[in-house]
Amino acid sequence: MHFGEVKVETRGEQHVFEVQVFLNDLDPEAVRVELYAAGVMGSARVRQEMKRVRQLAGATAGYVYSAAVSAARPPTDFTARVIPHCDGAAVPLEAAHILWQG
């Protein structure tokens, strides 16, 4: 599993991210792709789920995920990550099975 190209465009008061994710043999329903930003100066951290918007042409398990976040913070504050997903299960931030965009 790995990340491909990351695009961000600022539209008004939102940053709109598009991230390529290659899941190899994983079922896309078994993972959650998020934008993550740590809390700054007492503010809460941001975890914004990204939606799978399309499959990449010519890539069996390559997808584009998209999400919009507030432009109150710079886009460089946000990092994409892939975490295991199962309804009702919580994944701690320090879990070894999180793939962080590098």
Side-chain angles (χ1 to χ4, degrees):
M1 178 170 47
H2 67 278
F3 287 98
E5 185 177 8
V6 177
K7 296 179 184 177
V8 63
E9 181 180 328
T10 302
R11 299 179 190 157
E13 297 190 16
Q14 290 190 317
H15 301 305
V16 179
F17 285 81
E18 280 199 349
V19 177
Q20 294 178 349
V21 180
F22 297 88
L23 297 175
N24 298 337
D25 295 330
L26 286 175
D27 178 351
E29 298 298 322
V31 298
R32 178 175 165 152
V33 180
E34 297 180 334
L35 287 176
Y36 179 88
V40 177
M41 296 170 52
S43 68
R45 66 184 176 169
V46 177
R47 289 180 59 189
Q48 177 62 49
E49 182 175 2
M50 302 186 82
K51 299 294 181 192
R52 188 168 14 123
V53 293
R54 67 181 176 280
Q55 186 167 1
L56 289 167
T60 305
Y63 302 93
V64 174
Y65 287 79
S66 181
V69 292
S70 170
R73 294 179 64 173
T76 54
D77 279 5
F78 296 90
T79 303
R81 68 182 192 168
V82 178
I83 61 174
H85 175 71
C86 181
D87 287 336
V91 178
L93 180 61
E94 62 279 349
H97 299 320
I98 296 175
L99 174 65
W100 292 89
Q101 172 197 352

